[in-house]
Amino acid sequence: MKKLLYVASSYGHILSFHIPYIKRLQQMGFEVHAAGAGASDGAEPRDTKKINIPFEKSMFSIKNISCTFQLMKLIKEERYDVISVHTSLAAFFVR
C-alpha cells in the first residue's frame, strides 16, 4: 500500500479543503496521514492518521525549527511515497 502525507500549517485547512481528495485517495488504495497544527474535530475520513505538528503562524518563529526536525523524523520513519503540502509556511519547512 502506498503512503501519502498531507501537510498544512493548520489542521483546519486540511479539514476545510481536502477531505474529498483524501477520501478518493483512500479509495484508490493510499494510506493517508495528515499533519498540521490544531485539534481534529473528528471530521477527517476514517483511517486517516492525524499527526500534530505545532506550527507557529510566523515564518520566523524559532518553534518552527523544532517542527522541521519532527517532520524529518516522521518522513524518515514512515517512508512516504507522496508528500503533499498545502500552505506556504508548511511547504517551506517540509521542503
Side-chain angles (χ1 to χ4, degrees), residues 8-72:
S9 56
S10 162
Y11 194 69
H13 176 89
I14 293 170
L15 294 176
S16 295
F17 299 107
H18 300 287
I19 297 301
Y21 303 106
I22 290 172
K23 287 179 180 178
R24 181 65 182 131
L25 288 161
Q26 288 174 329
Q27 290 170 351
M28 293 170 60
F30 281 88
E31 178 181 340
V32 180
H33 296 182
S40 165
D41 63 2
E44 67 273 353
R46 190 169 42 96
D47 299 327
T48 303
K49 181 178 178 181
K50 196 264 186 195
I51 302 153
N52 185 42
I53 304 292
F55 287 113
E56 293 285 321
K57 286 293 184 179
S58 170
M59 186 69 76
F60 302 106
S61 173
I62 197 75
K63 293 179 181 178
N64 286 332
I65 301 299
S66 66
C67 293
T68 301
F69 289 110
Q70 186 178 350
L71 285 161
M72 287 170 55

